Amino acid sequence: EEQLVESGGGLVKPGVSLRLSCVASGFTFSNYDMNWVRQAPGKGLEWVSSISSTASSYIYYADSVKGRFTISRDNAKNSLYLQMDSLRAEDTAVYYCVGSRGAFSYWGQGTLVTVSS
Amino acid sequence: EIVLTQSPGTLSLSPGERATLSCRASQSVSNIYLAWYQQKPGQAPRLLIYDASNRATGIPDRFSGSGSGTDFTLTIDSLEPEDFAVYYCQQYGYSPRTFGQGTKVEIK
């Protein structure tokens, strides 16, 4: 069974950094593009960032996080990361790790990031 | 950026009825790279439809997708109790990979 497990969320103050991790199992991680999608409390889905299967084809960011967030992956460890710097209150959300080959096929259960003073 | 507008915002229906959800794009979606997702409270979204009209693995055939260009539709024939949820469309042909704002299908 395909599984994605996120970790690294928590309560942090504005301006600090946080690193999210996601470990994949049950599918060939290196064959999939990977993504981060977030959902603020009571709101809809917001795409955050995408990285191609080998990380060499593309890396994309939403304008709202460009210059502050960095996506990366380690195919040897079946892992995806999101380095989040200069966090703001508006970054408060559940962050989902998502595997895709086109459409977003595999979703983790999410990790909550709360940015508050 | 492609903006996706879903309508209606809320659909109030009874079990057994048909649900028709709309997703309109601000510009043509590349190669019908349009997906639909279902999300229930407290759960992660689940892929229902990809490439506008293809059901994902394990999705019942009461779910169907159609459309091209800028207008897309998700149809749920004969709503089951477990179908009451929020539905999102998404385009994945261009970056940013935008989502619609969602349609809530609620029990009437």
Side-chain angles (χ1 to χ4, degrees), chain B residues 2-66:
Chain B
I2 296 179
V3 177
L4 299 178
T5 302
Q6 294 186 238
S7 61
T10 302
L11 201 49
S12 298
L13 295 168
S14 301
E17 292 191 296
R18 169 180 288 187
T20 303
L21 287 66
S22 173
C23 176
R24 179 161 292 176
S26 60
Q27 61 192 79
S28 184
V29 174
S30 169
N31 293 325
I32 61 171
Y33 287 156
L34 191 288
W36 290 92
Y37 303 87
Q38 177 194 67
Q39 187 179 33
K40 298 179 181 179
Q43 296 185 17
R46 175 175 70 147
L47 175 65
L48 296 176
I49 301 289
Y50 65 95
D51 295 351
S53 62
N54 296 290
R55 274 187 301 276
T57 302
I59 301 304
D61 60 8
R62 64 180 180 272
F63 291 90
S64 63
S66 63

Short mmCIF file of all heavy atoms in Angstrom, two decimals, chain B residues 2-66:
data_model
loop_
_atom_site.label_atom_id
_atom_site.label_comp_id
_atom_site.label_asym_id
_atom_site.label_seq_id
_atom_site.Cartn_x
_atom_site.Cartn_y
_atom_site.Cartn_z
N ILE B 2 -3.41 30.18 -13.97
CA ILE B 2 -4.76 29.75 -14.33
C ILE B 2 -5.63 29.76 -13.08
O ILE B 2 -5.32 29.06 -12.11
CB ILE B 2 -4.76 28.36 -14.98
CG1 ILE B 2 -4.00 28.40 -16.31
CG2 ILE B 2 -6.19 27.87 -15.19
CD1 ILE B 2 -3.93 27.06 -17.02
N VAL B 3 -6.68 30.54 -13.10
CA VAL B 3 -7.62 30.59 -11.98
C VAL B 3 -8.77 29.63 -12.29
O VAL B 3 -9.37 29.68 -13.37
CB VAL B 3 -8.15 32.01 -11.76
CG1 VAL B 3 -9.19 32.03 -10.65
CG2 VAL B 3 -7.00 32.96 -11.43
N LEU B 4 -9.05 28.76 -11.33
CA LEU B 4 -10.16 27.82 -11.45
C LEU B 4 -11.30 28.27 -10.56
O LEU B 4 -11.11 28.47 -9.35
CB LEU B 4 -9.71 26.41 -11.06
CG LEU B 4 -8.59 25.80 -11.90
CD1 LEU B 4 -8.22 24.41 -11.37
CD2 LEU B 4 -8.98 25.70 -13.36
N THR B 5 -12.49 28.41 -11.14
CA THR B 5 -13.66 28.85 -10.39
C THR B 5 -14.68 27.73 -10.37
O THR B 5 -15.17 27.29 -11.42
CB THR B 5 -14.28 30.10 -11.03
OG1 THR B 5 -13.28 31.14 -11.08
CG2 THR B 5 -15.46 30.59 -10.21
N GLN B 6 -14.98 27.25 -9.16
CA GLN B 6 -15.93 26.16 -9.00
C GLN B 6 -17.30 26.70 -8.63
O GLN B 6 -17.43 27.69 -7.90
CB GLN B 6 -15.46 25.18 -7.93
CG GLN B 6 -14.19 24.45 -8.31
CD GLN B 6 -13.82 23.38 -7.29
OE1 GLN B 6 -12.73 23.41 -6.71
NE2 GLN B 6 -14.72 22.44 -7.07
N SER B 7 -18.32 26.04 -9.17
CA SER B 7 -19.70 26.40 -8.81
C SER B 7 -20.56 25.15 -8.77
O SER B 7 -20.29 24.18 -9.50
CB SER B 7 -20.25 27.41 -9.82
OG SER B 7 -20.27 26.87 -11.13
N PRO B 8 -21.59 25.16 -7.92
CA PRO B 8 -21.84 26.20 -6.92
C PRO B 8 -20.88 26.05 -5.74
O PRO B 8 -20.11 25.10 -5.69
CB PRO B 8 -23.28 25.89 -6.48
CG PRO B 8 -23.38 24.40 -6.62
CD PRO B 8 -22.54 24.05 -7.84
N GLY B 9 -20.94 26.96 -4.80
CA GLY B 9 -20.12 26.85 -3.61
C GLY B 9 -20.59 25.71 -2.72
O GLY B 9 -19.78 24.99 -2.13
N THR B 10 -21.91 25.57 -2.62
CA THR B 10 -22.52 24.50 -1.84
C THR B 10 -23.66 23.91 -2.64
O THR B 10 -24.41 24.64 -3.30
CB THR B 10 -23.04 25.02 -0.50
OG1 THR B 10 -21.96 25.62 0.24
CG2 THR B 10 -23.65 23.89 0.33
N LEU B 11 -23.74 22.58 -2.58
CA LEU B 11 -24.80 21.85 -3.28
C LEU B 11 -25.54 21.02 -2.22
O LEU B 11 -24.93 20.17 -1.58
CB LEU B 11 -24.16 20.96 -4.33
CG LEU B 11 -24.96 20.44 -5.51
CD1 LEU B 11 -25.73 21.55 -6.20
CD2 LEU B 11 -24.02 19.74 -6.49
N SER B 12 -26.83 21.30 -2.04
CA SER B 12 -27.63 20.58 -1.05
C SER B 12 -28.50 19.56 -1.77
O SER B 12 -29.42 19.94 -2.50
CB SER B 12 -28.49 21.55 -0.25
OG SER B 12 -27.69 22.46 0.46
N LEU B 13 -28.21 18.30 -1.55
CA LEU B 13 -28.91 17.22 -2.25
C LEU B 13 -29.24 16.09 -1.29
O LEU B 13 -28.65 15.99 -0.20
CB LEU B 13 -28.06 16.69 -3.40
CG LEU B 13 -27.78 17.68 -4.55
CD1 LEU B 13 -26.69 17.13 -5.46
CD2 LEU B 13 -29.04 17.96 -5.33
N SER B 14 -30.12 15.22 -1.73
CA SER B 14 -30.50 14.03 -0.95
C SER B 14 -29.79 12.80 -1.50
O SER B 14 -29.45 12.76 -2.70
CB SER B 14 -32.00 13.82 -0.99
OG SER B 14 -32.69 14.94 -0.48
N PRO B 15 -29.56 11.81 -0.65
CA PRO B 15 -29.00 10.55 -1.17
C PRO B 15 -29.85 10.03 -2.32
O PRO B 15 -31.08 10.11 -2.30
CB PRO B 15 -29.05 9.63 0.05
CG PRO B 15 -28.96 10.56 1.21
CD PRO B 15 -29.73 11.79 0.81
N GLY B 16 -29.17 9.52 -3.35
CA GLY B 16 -29.85 9.02 -4.52
C GLY B 16 -29.96 10.02 -5.65
O GLY B 16 -30.21 9.64 -6.80
N GLU B 17 -29.80 11.30 -5.34
CA GLU B 17 -29.86 12.32 -6.38
C GLU B 17 -28.52 12.42 -7.12
O GLU B 17 -27.49 11.93 -6.67
CB GLU B 17 -30.24 13.67 -5.78
CG GLU B 17 -31.66 13.74 -5.26
CD GLU B 17 -32.08 15.17 -4.92
OE1 GLU B 17 -31.48 15.77 -4.00
OE2 GLU B 17 -33.00 15.68 -5.60
N ARG B 18 -28.56 13.12 -8.25
CA ARG B 18 -27.36 13.34 -9.05
C ARG B 18 -26.76 14.70 -8.69
O ARG B 18 -27.48 15.69 -8.56
CB ARG B 18 -27.69 13.31 -10.54
CG ARG B 18 -26.54 13.81 -11.42
CD ARG B 18 -26.89 13.77 -12.88
NE ARG B 18 -26.94 12.39 -13.38
CZ ARG B 18 -27.08 12.09 -14.66
NH1 ARG B 18 -27.22 13.05 -15.56
NH2 ARG B 18 -27.11 10.84 -15.05
N ALA B 19 -25.43 14.72 -8.56
CA ALA B 19 -24.70 15.96 -8.31
C ALA B 19 -23.91 16.35 -9.55
O ALA B 19 -23.22 15.52 -10.14
CB ALA B 19 -23.76 15.79 -7.12
N THR B 20 -24.02 17.62 -9.92
CA THR B 20 -23.26 18.14 -11.05
C THR B 20 -22.44 19.33 -10.58
O THR B 20 -23.01 20.36 -10.18
CB THR B 20 -24.20 18.55 -12.21
OG1 THR B 20 -24.99 17.43 -12.60
CG2 THR B 20 -23.38 19.03 -13.40
N LEU B 21 -21.13 19.20 -10.62
CA LEU B 21 -20.21 20.22 -10.13
C LEU B 21 -19.45 20.80 -11.32
O LEU B 21 -18.99 20.06 -12.19
CB LEU B 21 -19.23 19.63 -9.13
CG LEU B 21 -19.71 19.26 -7.74
CD1 LEU B 21 -20.71 18.12 -7.75
CD2 LEU B 21 -18.53 18.91 -6.84
N SER B 22 -19.27 22.11 -11.30
CA SER B 22 -18.62 22.79 -12.42
C SER B 22 -17.28 23.37 -12.01
O SER B 22 -17.10 23.83 -10.87
CB SER B 22 -19.52 23.91 -12.93
OG SER B 22 -18.87 24.68 -13.91
N CYS B 23 -16.36 23.38 -12.94
CA CYS B 23 -15.04 23.98 -12.75
C CYS B 23 -14.69 24.73 -14.03
O CYS B 23 -14.60 24.12 -15.11
CB CYS B 23 -14.00 22.90 -12.46
SG CYS B 23 -12.29 23.48 -12.32
N ARG B 24 -14.54 26.03 -13.93
CA ARG B 24 -14.24 26.86 -15.09
C ARG B 24 -12.86 27.48 -14.94
O ARG B 24 -12.55 28.07 -13.91
CB ARG B 24 -15.30 27.94 -15.26
CG ARG B 24 -15.07 28.88 -16.44
CD ARG B 24 -16.33 29.60 -16.82
NE ARG B 24 -17.32 28.67 -17.39
CZ ARG B 24 -18.56 29.02 -17.73
NH1 ARG B 24 -18.96 30.28 -17.55
NH2 ARG B 24 -19.39 28.15 -18.24
N ALA B 25 -12.05 27.35 -15.99
CA ALA B 25 -10.68 27.86 -15.98
C ALA B 25 -10.60 29.21 -16.67
O ALA B 25 -11.32 29.48 -17.62
CB ALA B 25 -9.75 26.87 -16.66
N SER B 26 -9.69 30.05 -16.18
CA SER B 26 -9.53 31.39 -16.75
C SER B 26 -8.86 31.37 -18.12
O SER B 26 -8.92 32.35 -18.87
CB SER B 26 -8.72 32.26 -15.78
OG SER B 26 -7.44 31.69 -15.55
N GLN B 27 -8.20 30.26 -18.44
CA GLN B 27 -7.65 30.03 -19.78
C GLN B 27 -7.61 28.54 -20.02
O GLN B 27 -7.76 27.75 -19.09
CB GLN B 27 -6.26 30.66 -19.92
CG GLN B 27 -5.22 30.10 -18.98
CD GLN B 27 -3.94 30.93 -18.96
OE1 GLN B 27 -3.86 31.97 -18.33
NE2 GLN B 27 -2.94 30.46 -19.68
N SER B 28 -7.41 28.16 -21.25
CA SER B 28 -7.50 26.75 -21.62
C SER B 28 -6.49 25.92 -20.83
O SER B 28 -5.31 26.28 -20.71
CB SER B 28 -7.26 26.59 -23.11
OG SER B 28 -7.42 25.25 -23.49
N VAL B 29 -6.94 24.79 -20.33
CA VAL B 29 -6.09 23.87 -19.57
C VAL B 29 -5.34 22.96 -20.53
O VAL B 29 -5.94 22.29 -21.37
CB VAL B 29 -6.94 23.04 -18.58
CG1 VAL B 29 -6.08 21.99 -17.89
CG2 VAL B 29 -7.60 23.95 -17.56
N SER B 30 -4.02 22.93 -20.39
CA SER B 30 -3.17 22.18 -21.30
C SER B 30 -3.49 20.69 -21.29
O SER B 30 -3.51 20.06 -20.23
CB SER B 30 -1.71 22.41 -20.90
OG SER B 30 -0.85 21.52 -21.58
N ASN B 31 -3.75 20.14 -22.48
CA ASN B 31 -3.90 18.68 -22.64
C ASN B 31 -4.88 18.06 -21.64
O ASN B 31 -4.68 16.93 -21.20
CB ASN B 31 -2.54 18.00 -22.50
CG ASN B 31 -1.63 18.36 -23.65
OD1 ASN B 31 -2.06 18.52 -24.78
ND2 ASN B 31 -0.36 18.48 -23.35
N ILE B 32 -5.92 18.81 -21.31
CA ILE B 32 -6.94 18.35 -20.35
C ILE B 32 -6.30 17.84 -19.06
O ILE B 32 -6.79 16.90 -18.44
CB ILE B 32 -7.92 17.32 -20.94
CG1 ILE B 32 -7.22 16.04 -21.40
CG2 ILE B 32 -8.73 17.92 -22.05
CD1 ILE B 32 -8.21 14.94 -21.79
N TYR B 33 -5.22 18.48 -18.60
CA TYR B 33 -4.60 18.12 -17.34
C TYR B 33 -5.41 18.72 -16.19
O TYR B 33 -4.98 19.66 -15.53
CB TYR B 33 -3.15 18.60 -17.30
CG TYR B 33 -2.20 17.83 -18.17
CD1 TYR B 33 -1.01 18.41 -18.62
CD2 TYR B 33 -2.46 16.52 -18.54
CE1 TYR B 33 -0.13 17.71 -19.41
CE2 TYR B 33 -1.59 15.81 -19.34
CZ TYR B 33 -0.41 16.40 -19.77
OH TYR B 33 0.46 15.71 -20.55
N LEU B 34 -6.58 18.11 -15.99
CA LEU B 34 -7.52 18.58 -14.99
C LEU B 34 -7.93 17.40 -14.12
O LEU B 34 -8.26 16.32 -14.65
CB LEU B 34 -8.73 19.21 -15.69
CG LEU B 34 -9.79 20.01 -14.90
CD1 LEU B 34 -10.68 19.14 -14.03
CD2 LEU B 34 -9.15 21.12 -14.06
N ALA B 35 -7.86 17.58 -12.81
CA ALA B 35 -8.20 16.51 -11.87
C ALA B 35 -9.27 16.97 -10.90
O ALA B 35 -9.47 18.17 -10.69
CB ALA B 35 -6.94 16.08 -11.10
N TRP B 36 -9.94 15.98 -10.31
CA TRP B 36 -10.92 16.24 -9.26
C TRP B 36 -10.52 15.43 -8.02
O TRP B 36 -10.10 14.27 -8.14
CB TRP B 36 -12.32 15.80 -9.70
CG TRP B 36 -12.93 16.65 -10.77
CD1 TRP B 36 -12.86 16.46 -12.12
CD2 TRP B 36 -13.74 17.82 -10.58
NE1 TRP B 36 -13.57 17.44 -12.78
CE2 TRP B 36 -14.13 18.28 -11.86
CE3 TRP B 36 -14.20 18.52 -9.45
CZ2 TRP B 36 -14.92 19.41 -12.04
CZ3 TRP B 36 -14.98 19.64 -9.63
CH2 TRP B 36 -15.34 20.07 -10.92
N TYR B 37 -10.68 16.05 -6.85
CA TYR B 37 -10.35 15.42 -5.58
C TYR B 37 -11.54 15.54 -4.65
O TYR B 37 -12.31 16.50 -4.70
CB TYR B 37 -9.15 16.12 -4.92
CG TYR B 37 -7.91 16.13 -5.80
CD1 TYR B 37 -7.70 17.15 -6.71
CD2 TYR B 37 -6.97 15.12 -5.73
CE1 TYR B 37 -6.59 17.17 -7.54
CE2 TYR B 37 -5.84 15.13 -6.55
CZ TYR B 37 -5.67 16.16 -7.45
OH TYR B 37 -4.58 16.17 -8.28
N GLN B 38 -11.65 14.57 -3.78
CA GLN B 38 -12.67 14.56 -2.73
C GLN B 38 -11.98 14.69 -1.38
O GLN B 38 -10.95 14.03 -1.14
CB GLN B 38 -13.44 13.23 -2.76
CG GLN B 38 -14.48 13.06 -1.67
CD GLN B 38 -14.94 11.61 -1.59
OE1 GLN B 38 -14.16 10.71 -1.23
NE2 GLN B 38 -16.19 11.37 -1.92
N GLN B 39 -12.51 15.52 -0.51
CA GLN B 39 -11.96 15.63 0.84
C GLN B 39 -13.07 15.58 1.86
O GLN B 39 -14.03 16.35 1.80
CB GLN B 39 -11.14 16.91 1.02
CG GLN B 39 -10.41 16.96 2.36
CD GLN B 39 -9.57 18.20 2.55
OE1 GLN B 39 -9.91 19.28 2.07
NE2 GLN B 39 -8.46 18.07 3.27
N LYS B 40 -12.92 14.68 2.82
CA LYS B 40 -13.84 14.57 3.94
C LYS B 40 -13.21 15.21 5.16
O LYS B 40 -11.97 15.31 5.24
CB LYS B 40 -14.18 13.11 4.19
CG LYS B 40 -14.88 12.45 3.00
CD LYS B 40 -15.19 10.99 3.25
CE LYS B 40 -15.86 10.37 2.04
NZ LYS B 40 -16.16 8.93 2.24
N PRO B 41 -14.03 15.64 6.13
CA PRO B 41 -13.48 16.33 7.31
C PRO B 41 -12.40 15.51 8.01
O PRO B 41 -12.58 14.31 8.25
CB PRO B 41 -14.71 16.52 8.20
CG PRO B 41 -15.86 16.56 7.25
CD PRO B 41 -15.50 15.60 6.15
N GLY B 42 -11.27 16.17 8.29
CA GLY B 42 -10.20 15.52 9.01
C GLY B 42 -9.36 14.56 8.20
O GLY B 42 -8.48 13.89 8.74
N GLN B 43 -9.63 14.48 6.91
CA GLN B 43 -8.90 13.56 6.05
C GLN B 43 -8.13 14.32 4.96
O GLN B 43 -8.45 15.45 4.63
CB GLN B 43 -9.85 12.56 5.39
CG GLN B 43 -10.54 11.63 6.35
CD GLN B 43 -11.39 10.59 5.63
OE1 GLN B 43 -11.23 10.35 4.43
NE2 GLN B 43 -12.30 9.96 6.37
N ALA B 44 -7.14 13.63 4.42
CA ALA B 44 -6.44 14.18 3.26
C ALA B 44 -7.32 14.06 2.02
O ALA B 44 -8.22 13.20 1.97
CB ALA B 44 -5.14 13.42 3.03
N PRO B 45 -7.10 14.90 1.04
CA PRO B 45 -7.83 14.75 -0.22
C PRO B 45 -7.52 13.40 -0.88
O PRO B 45 -6.48 12.78 -0.63
CB PRO B 45 -7.31 15.91 -1.08
CG PRO B 45 -6.81 16.91 -0.09
CD PRO B 45 -6.25 16.09 1.04
N ARG B 46 -8.45 12.98 -1.73
CA ARG B 46 -8.28 11.72 -2.49
C ARG B 46 -8.54 12.00 -3.96
O ARG B 46 -9.53 12.67 -4.30
CB ARG B 46 -9.28 10.67 -1.96
CG ARG B 46 -9.29 9.38 -2.75
CD ARG B 46 -10.20 8.34 -2.15
NE ARG B 46 -11.62 8.63 -2.26
CZ ARG B 46 -12.56 7.69 -2.41
NH1 ARG B 46 -12.21 6.42 -2.51
NH2 ARG B 46 -13.83 8.03 -2.46
N LEU B 47 -7.67 11.49 -4.80
CA LEU B 47 -7.83 11.68 -6.24
C LEU B 47 -9.01 10.85 -6.75
O LEU B 47 -9.09 9.65 -6.50
CB LEU B 47 -6.55 11.25 -6.97
CG LEU B 47 -6.60 11.28 -8.51
CD1 LEU B 47 -6.78 12.70 -9.02
CD2 LEU B 47 -5.33 10.65 -9.09
N LEU B 48 -9.93 11.53 -7.45
CA LEU B 48 -11.08 10.85 -8.05
C LEU B 48 -10.92 10.67 -9.55
O LEU B 48 -11.09 9.58 -10.09
CB LEU B 48 -12.36 11.67 -7.81
CG LEU B 48 -12.85 11.90 -6.40
CD1 LEU B 48 -14.07 12.82 -6.43
CD2 LEU B 48 -13.18 10.59 -5.71
N ILE B 49 -10.61 11.78 -10.23
CA ILE B 49 -10.59 11.86 -11.69
C ILE B 49 -9.30 12.53 -12.13
O ILE B 49 -8.90 13.54 -11.54
CB ILE B 49 -11.79 12.69 -12.22
CG1 ILE B 49 -13.12 12.09 -11.79
CG2 ILE B 49 -11.70 12.85 -13.75
CD1 ILE B 49 -13.50 10.79 -12.48
N TYR B 50 -8.63 11.99 -13.15
CA TYR B 50 -7.46 12.63 -13.72
C TYR B 50 -7.64 12.75 -15.23
O TYR B 50 -8.47 12.04 -15.83
CB TYR B 50 -6.18 11.87 -13.37
CG TYR B 50 -6.10 10.48 -13.97
CD1 TYR B 50 -5.45 10.26 -15.18
CD2 TYR B 50 -6.66 9.39 -13.31
CE1 TYR B 50 -5.39 9.00 -15.74
CE2 TYR B 50 -6.61 8.12 -13.86
CZ TYR B 50 -5.97 7.94 -15.06
OH TYR B 50 -5.90 6.67 -15.61
N ASP B 51 -6.86 13.65 -15.83
CA ASP B 51 -6.98 13.94 -17.26
C ASP B 51 -8.43 14.18 -17.67
O ASP B 51 -8.88 13.71 -18.72
CB ASP B 51 -6.36 12.80 -18.09
CG ASP B 51 -4.86 12.67 -17.88
OD1 ASP B 51 -4.27 13.54 -17.23
OD2 ASP B 51 -4.28 11.68 -18.36
N ALA B 52 -9.13 14.87 -16.81
CA ALA B 52 -10.51 15.34 -17.02
C ALA B 52 -11.58 14.27 -16.95
O ALA B 52 -12.70 14.56 -16.50
CB ALA B 52 -10.63 16.09 -18.35
N SER B 53 -11.27 13.04 -17.38
CA SER B 53 -12.36 12.06 -17.48
C SER B 53 -11.99 10.64 -17.06
O SER B 53 -12.82 9.73 -17.22
CB SER B 53 -12.88 12.03 -18.93
OG SER B 53 -11.85 11.63 -19.81
N ASN B 54 -10.79 10.44 -16.57
CA ASN B 54 -10.36 9.09 -16.19
C ASN B 54 -10.50 8.88 -14.68
O ASN B 54 -9.94 9.65 -13.89
CB ASN B 54 -8.92 8.85 -16.61
CG ASN B 54 -8.75 8.88 -18.11
OD1 ASN B 54 -9.20 7.98 -18.82
ND2 ASN B 54 -8.12 9.92 -18.62
N ARG B 55 -11.21 7.82 -14.31
CA ARG B 55 -11.34 7.53 -12.88
C ARG B 55 -10.05 6.95 -12.33
O ARG B 55 -9.41 6.09 -12.96
CB ARG B 55 -12.49 6.54 -12.64
CG ARG B 55 -13.85 7.18 -12.51
CD ARG B 55 -14.90 6.15 -12.10
NE ARG B 55 -14.99 5.07 -13.07
CZ ARG B 55 -15.72 5.13 -14.17
NH1 ARG B 55 -16.42 6.20 -14.43
NH2 ARG B 55 -15.75 4.10 -15.00
N ALA B 56 -9.68 7.40 -11.15
CA ALA B 56 -8.50 6.85 -10.47
C ALA B 56 -8.82 5.45 -9.97
O ALA B 56 -9.98 5.03 -9.90
CB ALA B 56 -8.09 7.76 -9.33
N THR B 57 -7.78 4.74 -9.60
CA THR B 57 -7.92 3.36 -9.13
C THR B 57 -8.86 3.29 -7.93
O THR B 57 -8.72 4.03 -6.96
CB THR B 57 -6.55 2.79 -8.73
OG1 THR B 57 -5.67 2.86 -9.85
CG2 THR B 57 -6.68 1.36 -8.26
N GLY B 58 -9.85 2.39 -8.03
CA GLY B 58 -10.74 2.15 -6.92
C GLY B 58 -11.91 3.11 -6.81
O GLY B 58 -12.72 2.99 -5.87
N ILE B 59 -12.03 4.04 -7.71
CA ILE B 59 -13.13 5.02 -7.65
C ILE B 59 -14.37 4.43 -8.32
O ILE B 59 -14.30 3.96 -9.46
CB ILE B 59 -12.72 6.34 -8.33
CG1 ILE B 59 -11.48 6.93 -7.65
CG2 ILE B 59 -13.89 7.33 -8.31
CD1 ILE B 59 -11.62 7.16 -6.16
N PRO B 60 -15.51 4.46 -7.62
CA PRO B 60 -16.74 3.87 -8.18
C PRO B 60 -17.17 4.55 -9.47
O PRO B 60 -16.91 5.74 -9.67
CB PRO B 60 -17.77 4.09 -7.07
CG PRO B 60 -16.99 4.36 -5.84
CD PRO B 60 -15.71 5.00 -6.26
N ASP B 61 -17.87 3.80 -10.31
CA ASP B 61 -18.23 4.35 -11.62
C ASP B 61 -19.40 5.33 -11.55
O ASP B 61 -19.80 5.88 -12.59
CB ASP B 61 -18.51 3.23 -12.63
CG ASP B 61 -19.64 2.32 -12.21
OD1 ASP B 61 -20.32 2.63 -11.20
OD2 ASP B 61 -19.85 1.29 -12.87
N ARG B 62 -19.93 5.60 -10.36
CA ARG B 62 -20.94 6.67 -10.26
C ARG B 62 -20.28 8.05 -10.38
O ARG B 62 -20.97 9.05 -10.56
CB ARG B 62 -21.74 6.58 -8.95
CG ARG B 62 -20.95 6.77 -7.70
CD ARG B 62 -21.86 6.66 -6.47
NE ARG B 62 -21.13 6.84 -5.22
CZ ARG B 62 -20.53 5.85 -4.57
NH1 ARG B 62 -20.57 4.62 -5.05
NH2 ARG B 62 -19.90 6.10 -3.43
N PHE B 63 -18.94 8.10 -10.25
CA PHE B 63 -18.19 9.33 -10.45
C PHE B 63 -17.72 9.40 -11.91
O PHE B 63 -17.11 8.46 -12.42
CB PHE B 63 -16.96 9.40 -9.55
CG PHE B 63 -17.27 9.55 -8.09
CD1 PHE B 63 -17.43 8.43 -7.28
CD2 PHE B 63 -17.41 10.80 -7.51
CE1 PHE B 63 -17.72 8.55 -5.93
CE2 PHE B 63 -17.69 10.96 -6.16
CZ PHE B 63 -17.85 9.82 -5.37
N SER B 64 -18.00 10.53 -12.56
CA SER B 64 -17.51 10.71 -13.91
C SER B 64 -17.12 12.16 -14.14
O SER B 64 -17.69 13.09 -13.54
CB SER B 64 -18.57 10.29 -14.94
OG SER B 64 -19.72 11.10 -14.83
N GLY B 65 -16.12 12.34 -14.99
CA GLY B 65 -15.65 13.67 -15.32
C GLY B 65 -15.74 13.91 -16.81
O GLY B 65 -15.62 12.97 -17.61
N SER B 66 -15.95 15.16 -17.17
CA SER B 66 -16.03 15.51 -18.59
C SER B 66 -15.55 16.94 -18.78
O SER B 66 -15.35 17.68 -17.81
CB SER B 66 -17.45 15.36 -19.11
OG SER B 66 -18.32 16.25 -18.43
#
